[in-house]
Amino acid sequence: MNNEILVTRSSMPSMDEYIDEIKELWDTRWITNMGEKHKELQRKLIEYLKVENVDLLTNGHMALELTLQALNLSGEVITTPFTFASTTHAIVRNGLTPVFCDINPYDFTLDVTKLESLITDKTSAIVPVHVYGNICNIEEIERISHKYDLRVIYDAAHTFGERYKGRGIGSFGDASCFSFHATKVFNTIEGGAVCYRDKELGEKLYNLKNFGIRGPETVESVGANAKMNEFSAAMGICNLRYVDADIEKRKKIVEHYRERLTNIEGIQLNSIQDNVESNYAYFPVIFDEKTFCYSRNEVADRLAEQGIFTRKYFYPLTNTFDCFHGKFDANKTPVALHIAKRVLTLPLYAELSIEDVDRICDLIINMN
Ligand SMILES: *Cc1c(COP(=O)(O)O)cnc(C)c1O
């Protein structure tokens, strides 16, 4: 069936352009371990993301997991359950206890009015998620984290290239972790990055991603291996040339979706944020089964019958995963629970045509 529409489609340069970029790797035979491509992408990202430091890693998950480790946290870490498995797993795999804060019903980020009541003398950090590219309430998180002396590590996997009040989104908190997975706005096939300010944190992170090796005969600490290889970095260098154009295309698609799906009984769209230059990463729609004629699951099934594949991001909530059975009570995050049951992310990628957006919208509107 060639009129199938998948929820996402990876951005890629032309094959010739990529081959051109990787050709010299056959001369140098330097294909990993912080080679020229790694260094070049790192430089370019510092500039593009408007941040002080960037370290490149194998993927977004290792960026999060190793950053939490580098910060030497203990006890409890406050986060939200309305996210990808990675966020919660990074906390748990560090031997830390996730404490789940609810989300707000407007942009689905951490509800800062509920944050302070979750802080105990065991709390060491907050891991807020800029979910769908919606930016958390940075000012409040900053205020509260300073008041209680907590570290803040943003899961910025969805916010590549975003600006808040003109500042790079990766410049907030102690660190921000990006994912360059194939499905994200910007990809290095697999890959990730940590943006940070504190040089000492940077050193620890570097040790963690490269076995703690600092010289031919010097192993400074017990590290893992999470280096980005040269082929991935080369893909990033190519994709970075087109990311602004891609975001512009995504913007047009999102604006069209919004135009078509605004003011439809039973459909809620997330609110547009002030002072944010968005990357239009995802297009989530909330279907209220009481006022829309079908539930979210029925809408997803009906679209799939027509060859249109959506995703239930983020369902199930991470605090209801089988692997955490009996450990957390999702009723303590009722807004997240409510949204997770009703949300559907519609197809969105730079090359999605406006005709296809119309086809999807027509199907949805005609259901009602
Ligand atoms: C994609 C993603 C990650 C993990 O990134 P990978 O590069 O796939 O390891 C972490 N958090 C969120 C919210 C994500 O969407």
Side-chain angles (χ1 to χ4, degrees):
M1 207 162 118
N2 60 9
N3 59 348
E4 279 192 352
I5 306 174
L6 302 185
V7 70
T8 185
R9 199 160 180 264
S10 300
S11 294
M12 290 171 89
S14 74
M15 200 195 286
D16 286 345
E17 185 176 346
Y18 184 60
I19 288 171
D20 228 38
E21 195 64 49
I22 59 175
K23 254 190 191 125
E24 67 197 70
L25 300 177
W26 268 264
D27 303 327
T28 62
R29 299 280 159 148
W30 188 316
I31 59 179
T32 185
N33 283 40
M34 285 64 80
E36 286 306 317
K37 301 294 171 192
H38 186 287
K39 287 184 200 148
E40 183 181 341
L41 182 62
Q42 191 172 25
R43 273 197 310 274
K44 291 195 157 137
L45 288 178
I46 287 173
E47 200 178 312
Y48 184 82
L49 296 172
K50 294 189 178 182
V51 291
E52 282 178 40
N53 304 289
V54 168
D55 203 358
L56 301 176
L57 292 90
T58 43
N59 57 57
H61 178 78
M62 290 315 282
L64 266 175
E65 189 172 315
L66 297 184
T67 300
L68 296 180
Q69 192 178 349
L71 284 165
N72 212 3
L73 305 175
S74 61
E76 298 172 357
V77 173
I78 301 175
T79 186
T80 56
F82 191 69
T83 181
F84 186 55
S86 173
T87 324
T88 304
H89 286 0
I91 295 168
V92 174
R93 285 172 54 80
N94 268 292
L96 301 162
T97 305
V99 172
F100 293 100
C101 184
D102 209 355
I103 58 173
N104 75 64
Y106 313 107
D107 59 30
F108 319 126
T109 62
L110 189 145
D111 182 346
V112 288
T113 67
K114 296 176 181 163
L115 182 54
E116 265 187 286
S117 67
L118 297 171
I119 296 172
T120 71
D121 51 12
K122 294 202 193 85
T123 311
S124 61
I126 311 170
V127 179
V129 184
H130 298 306
V131 70
Y132 302 132
N134 295 338
I135 289 175
C136 299
N137 186 332
I138 288 173
E139 279 93 358
E140 264 302 281
I141 290 170
E142 208 158 86
R143 185 186 69 77
I144 293 168
S145 65
H146 285 161
K147 183 170 162 192
Y148 295 91
D149 191 25
L150 304 174
R151 305 283 75 73
V152 177
I153 305 92
Y154 283 105
D155 183 335
H158 296 177
T159 40
F160 186 82
E162 295 201 353
R163 316 262 184 260
Y164 177 63
K165 295 187 174 168
R167 264 178 72 180
I169 194 61
S171 68
F172 297 95
D174 293 277
S176 294
C177 300
F178 291 88
S179 164
F180 304 154
H181 184 256
T183 55
K184 304 297 207 277
V185 168
F186 167 78
N187 83 77
T188 59
I189 310 171
E190 292 261 7
V194 183
C195 301
Y196 59 91
R197 230 169 301 131
D198 179 21
K199 294 274 184 207
E200 201 183 317
L201 172 61
E203 295 298 313
K204 285 188 181 154
L205 193 59
Y206 182 89
N207 279 348
L208 286 171
K209 86 161 186 185
N210 189 32
F211 305 105
I213 296 174
R214 301 308 296 222
E217 297 176 9
T218 316
V219 180
E220 209 172 78
S221 61
V222 184
N225 177 10
K227 309 180 295 288
M228 180 182 284
N229 72 65
E230 292 290 281
F231 287 82
S232 282
M235 183 62 104
I237 291 167
C238 293
N239 279 335
L240 195 59
R241 298 183 185 125
Y242 304 101
V243 74
D244 283 337
D246 278 2
I247 290 172
E248 199 50 42
K249 288 178 195 163
R250 287 174 170 274
K251 178 173 189 226
K252 293 211 165 73
I253 294 162
V254 166
E255 283 172 350
H256 198 69
Y257 265 132
R258 292 195 80 94
E259 211 177 285
R260 296 285 322 268
L261 297 177
T262 298
N263 295 327
I264 300 207
E265 179 87 24
I267 288 185
Q268 182 206 331
L269 307 178
N270 63 200
S271 40
I272 295 176
Q273 297 185 307
D274 290 334
N275 301 314
V276 174
E277 275 173 58
S278 178
N279 65 4
Y280 305 92
Y282 297 87
F283 193 72
V285 175
I286 313 296
F287 292 96
D288 181 351
E289 74 288 350
K290 291 205 193 84
T291 42
F292 197 76
C293 52
Y294 293 110
S295 69
R296 181 272 309 272
N297 287 350
E298 289 167 334
V299 173
D301 292 346
R302 278 168 178 266
L303 290 173
E305 279 165 22
Q306 302 296 322
I308 295 161
F309 299 98
T310 55
R311 289 301 292 268
K312 296 167 194 175
Y313 284 145
F314 286 98
Y315 174 87
L317 295 178
T318 68
N319 56 2
T320 67
F321 281 177
D322 295 341
C323 57
F324 300 132
H325 186 77
K327 287 216 168 113
F328 308 112
D329 180 4
N331 293 312
K332 288 183 178 163
T333 53
V335 177
L337 205 52
H338 181 92
I339 298 295
K341 281 182 189 157
R342 292 167 178 81
V343 69
L344 198 61
T345 52
L346 300 185
L348 175 55
Y349 46 88
E351 302 309 324
L352 183 66
S353 71
I354 294 294
E355 291 72 41
D356 281 339
V357 175
D358 274 326
R359 203 177 121 216
I360 297 163
C361 293
D362 287 339
L363 285 166
I364 292 171
I365 292 164
N366 292 330
M367 283 177 201
N368 215 7

